[in-house]
Amino acid sequence: MVPAKKHRRTPRQLVRGVRRRTRRAAGRLRRVFWRSLQLRVVTSTMVISIVVVAVLGVFLMQQIQQSVLESRVRAAISEAQADRNAVLGFLTQPENDTSERPADQGEAPQGGGDSPLSRATQALAERAGSASRYSVIIRNENLPGEFFGTTNIDPRSVPDRLRAEVKKNEPGRNAPWFLPLYYEGRADAVPGVVIGTRLDTIGAPRLDGGYEIYHLVPLDREEKMLGSLQQMLIVVGSGLVLLLAAIASLVTRQVVIPVRLARQAAERLAAGKLDERLKVRGEDDLARLGTSFNEMAANLALKIHQLEELSQVQRQFVSDVSHELRTPLTTVRMAADLLYDAREDFDPMAARSAELMQNQLERFESMLADLLEISRYDAGAATLDVDSVDVRDVVLRAVADSEALAERHSTRFDLRLPGEPCMAEMDSRRVERILRNLLFNAIEHGEGRDVVVSVGADRDAVAVAVRDYGVGLKPGEETMVFDRFWRADPSRARTIGGTGLGLAISREDAMLHGGWLQAWGAPGEGSQFRLSLPRTAGVPLRGSPLPLVPPEVEMRRTWRGHMTPVLSPAAADGGQDAD
């Protein structure tokens, strides 16, 4: 046996699957978010706290950084001014004057020799102590490639654009620049500030050319300190946000829990547990809410109990009257049958009275039977005798029972039945009664036109639709038509002697099966009643195999909608388009 090949999904199918799962997860998160008041409050608090902490943290960080750098630059400018004066002193003293010549100690400056610049650079290196404090580079305009520097400073630390800017400035003017500093033997650069100035050679004619002195201050310690401070601010801000979220959760919990308990109590109260009450503690607003809820529940329970007693009395009254009327009705019926059978021996007026009495007795018996059926539904005593039957057979029996009435009203039935059996579990007697009521209603209001009876079925449900082309229903009458003793036009008499309870009983029968009985109608277009039942008794009904709105009406509406954009200018300005 050859094993079946596994179906490999294409990349497009994989992407679609990922998108579906993402949308499904986003939908679940959205539902959880909107269903939880506590989650929304905590989330809002966290978002607002993050924004506030971030703004304050950035502001504080900028202020601290500005303060640290300004103090460091001021100190560097002060030291640069002192070093400039020292270098100027070395350059202006006589060559044979060695009174200020320092001893050979400390780190040797770059440039070598025993010139005044070499001695000045060595003195500045001793004053700086180490490269972590500052370094100095001295240049002469007449010696482009030479420089004197301290602490292994790399001349790349002073770019040409900085030298050009220093040459433009007046002698003695300090210009701080934030640039990377380079040191020999170190690959990576160090952030720092460079303060460059020109030496004032006025009064020193012995100096040849112009001199530039650059004070290079590394800021790596400040950078590390600011980095540590930034990390500390982030940690403290995160802790503050979490603390605020915990506080918001604790505060909202004190409000949400009583509201949640009230919601659960209201659900149990709506489910019929009329003795449900809330526990009241304290005297705050929530306590008063619980007290008001308990008072409302008590009043509601009292009113419901009174209504139940009244309804029970009414049901008992209808049941008792219906049963009590059967005995005298039977006697009257027997006497009426005798009079009706002997009407040919009476004078015309008495014979007509016997016929009228016979017809009204039949209507009275029908109304009495309907009242008894309604009383069973009101008492919850109606039961189903379920059996697996073919819906087509039930429809044909209901149509056969309605043929005589249809012939009297010149109405013809148009049956649209499927070619294969439509089996379903139902009480055929009740379903047949529903269909008879629908057919009688269609005949009465169809104004002699054809009545279309359609049957549809799918995997889960079966449906029967009865369509007439009579007066139709006005907007809002689709649900009122199932009310007891309701009439669309009270001034219009019933032509077939109905009791006004047929559609109400039909809806109760449909609901007893777990199905739907729905109506559609429009003035001038007739009406359609659709009965939808599950194939298996007790299975919830999720859809119907037949549309509630007739297909031709839906197509006409769609056609009108498509035709609307291409109307003539006159119609577009307010004229009516033709059907």
Side-chain angles (χ1 to χ4, degrees):
M1 182 175 178
V2 180
K5 295 183 178 180
K6 294 184 178 179
H7 178 67
R8 299 184 62 182
R9 302 177 66 183
T10 62
R12 180 176 297 179
Q13 292 175 339
L14 292 174
V15 171
R16 289 178 180 175
V18 172
R19 289 178 179 175
R20 282 197 300 269
R21 288 192 291 269
T22 303
R23 286 195 297 267
R24 205 176 298 120
R28 285 196 295 267
L29 290 176
R30 187 163 50 250
R31 286 192 297 271
V32 170
F33 178 79
W34 288 112
R35 290 182 61 182
S36 176
L37 176 62
Q38 185 176 6
L39 179 60
R40 292 203 304 272
V41 172
V42 172
T43 304
S44 303
T45 304
M46 287 189 66
V47 171
I48 296 174
S49 302
I50 289 173
V51 173
V52 172
V53 170
V55 172
L56 291 178
V58 171
F59 177 75
L60 290 176
M61 194 65 195
Q62 289 178 350
Q63 294 297 319
I64 293 174
Q65 183 177 3
Q66 184 178 0
S67 177
V68 170
L69 292 180
E70 285 182 354
S71 62
R72 191 72 174 97
V73 169
R74 285 196 300 268
I77 291 176
S78 177
E79 292 176 349
Q81 187 66 28
D83 291 345
R84 174 183 173 280
N85 296 331
V87 171
L88 188 60
F90 275 98
L91 293 178
T92 56
Q93 69 181 359
E95 292 186 1
N96 57 358
D97 187 3
T98 60
S99 59
E100 296 185 9
R101 182 177 300 176
D104 293 338
Q105 53 182 328
E107 187 177 357
Q110 300 179 19
D114 195 22
S115 64
L117 285 179
S118 176
R119 294 196 303 271
T121 305
Q122 185 176 0
L124 295 182
E126 294 175 355
R127 292 182 60 181
S130 64
S132 61
R133 185 178 178 188
Y134 66 87
S135 303
V136 178
I137 291 180
I138 303 176
R139 288 184 177 275
N140 190 342
E141 294 181 357
N142 296 333
L143 301 174
E146 295 184 8
F147 74 97
F148 291 86
T150 64
T151 60
N152 296 327
I153 190 68
D154 196 308
R156 290 183 302 165
S157 303
V158 182
D160 294 337
R161 65 179 185 276
L162 176 58
R163 294 193 62 191
E165 186 69 23
V166 171
K167 290 178 182 179
K168 293 179 183 178
N169 295 335
E170 298 177 357
R173 180 180 177 183
N174 298 315
W177 281 50
F178 291 93
L179 297 171
L181 305 182
Y182 300 92
Y183 295 90
E184 294 180 0
R186 189 169 180 177
D188 54 336
V190 176
V193 59
V194 181
I195 301 173
T197 184
R198 293 171 56 193
L199 294 178
D200 187 4
T201 59
I202 298 176
R206 185 177 58 83
L207 297 179
D208 52 346
Y211 289 89
E212 308 158 16
I213 179 170
Y214 297 95
H215 205 75
L216 300 95
V217 180
L219 301 177
D220 50 350
R221 291 184 179 179
E222 287 76 6
E223 184 182 28
K224 291 180 180 179
M225 181 189 69
L226 292 175
S228 301
L229 183 61
Q230 184 177 4
Q231 293 179 358
M232 183 177 65
L233 286 177
I234 293 175
V235 172
V236 172
S238 301
L240 180 61
V241 169
L242 295 177
L243 180 61
L244 291 175
I247 294 174
S249 176
L250 180 62
V251 172
T252 54
R253 184 180 177 85
Q254 297 178 359
V255 178
V256 169
I257 288 181
V259 174
R260 188 175 299 165
L261 294 176
R263 188 258 304 169
Q264 295 174 355
E267 291 177 351
R268 289 191 290 267
L269 187 65
K273 298 180 180 179
L274 301 180
D275 56 346
E276 187 67 28
R277 297 294 183 272
L278 290 176
K279 295 181 179 179
V280 179
R281 298 185 181 91
E283 298 179 355
D284 55 3
D285 294 335
L286 293 176
R288 290 197 294 270
L289 174 63
T291 303
S292 301
F293 178 86
N294 292 337
E295 292 177 356
M296 179 195 68
N299 294 332
L300 184 62
L302 178 61
K303 295 297 183 183
I304 291 177
H305 182 67
Q306 292 176 354
L307 290 175
E308 286 179 348
E309 290 182 348
L310 179 60
S311 178
Q312 180 67 26
V313 170
Q314 290 177 345
R315 288 196 300 266
Q316 189 66 33
F317 174 78
V318 172
S319 178
D320 294 343
V321 169
S322 300
H323 283 88
E324 292 297 330
L325 285 177
R326 281 191 172 276
T327 301
L329 181 61
T330 303
T331 304
V332 174
R333 179 70 178 182
M334 292 173 61
D337 289 341
L338 291 175
L339 294 176
Y340 183 76
D341 293 338
R343 70 183 183 280
E344 295 179 357
D345 300 333
F346 301 155
D347 59 90
M349 186 66 68
R352 179 57 180 166
S353 299
E355 292 176 356
L356 291 176
M357 184 174 62
Q358 183 74 8
N359 293 333
Q360 293 304 316
L361 280 174
E362 290 178 355
R363 182 180 177 186
F364 186 71
E365 285 182 338
S366 178
M367 182 180 295
L368 186 60
D370 290 343
L371 287 173
L372 286 173
E373 190 68 21
I374 285 290
S375 65
R376 292 191 190 97
Y377 279 113
D378 291 342
T383 58
L384 290 176
D385 186 10
V386 178
D387 193 10
S388 180
V389 297
D390 190 351
V391 180
R392 299 179 304 171
D393 297 337
V394 180
V395 172
L396 291 175
R397 289 197 298 269
V399 169
D401 294 340
S402 307
E403 284 287 352
L405 181 62
E407 290 179 359
R408 291 199 300 268
H409 287 77
S410 302
T411 301
R412 187 176 62 89
F413 291 121
D414 181 7
L415 301 181
R416 300 177 183 179
L417 308 179
E420 55 185 14
C422 302
M423 306 302 296
E425 297 179 358
M426 64 179 67
D427 189 338
S428 58
R429 179 183 65 85
R430 294 182 183 274
V431 174
E432 188 175 341
R433 180 171 60 187
I434 296 174
L435 297 179
R436 280 199 306 269
N437 288 328
L438 297 181
L439 292 173
F440 289 169
N441 184 76
I443 293 171
E444 181 178 4
H445 298 90
E447 298 183 344
R449 297 184 178 93
D450 292 349
V451 174
V452 180
V453 182
S454 305
V455 177
D458 57 16
R459 184 182 60 182
D460 301 321
V462 294
V464 181
V466 178
R467 169 84 159 99
D468 67 77
Y469 297 89
V471 294
L473 297 174
K474 297 178 183 178
E477 294 181 349
E478 294 85 358
T479 55
M480 298 172 60
V481 73
F482 298 106
D483 294 343
R484 301 175 184 180
F485 303 107
W486 181 84
R487 288 188 184 183
D489 186 3
S491 62
R492 178 180 177 181
R494 292 188 174 92
T495 60
I496 61 174
T499 63
L501 296 173
L503 292 179
I505 294 175
S506 298
R507 183 178 61 177
E508 296 291 343
D509 284 334
M511 294 174 62
L512 191 61
H513 282 82
W516 305 332
L517 182 57
Q518 300 163 298
W520 167 89
E525 293 187 352
S527 60
Q528 176 167 292
F529 289 78
R530 182 184 66 179
L531 173 64
S532 305
L533 301 174
R535 279 185 175 268
T536 304
V539 176
L541 187 62
R542 292 184 173 85
S544 178
L546 292 179
L548 180 59
V549 181
E552 66 272 12
V553 176
E554 193 67 33
M555 291 177 61
R556 192 182 307 121
R557 291 177 178 176
T558 305
W559 178 79
R560 287 176 179 174
H562 286 308
M563 290 298 292
T564 299
V566 293
L567 292 176
S568 62
D573 292 338
Q576 295 181 353
D577 55 331
D579 289 340

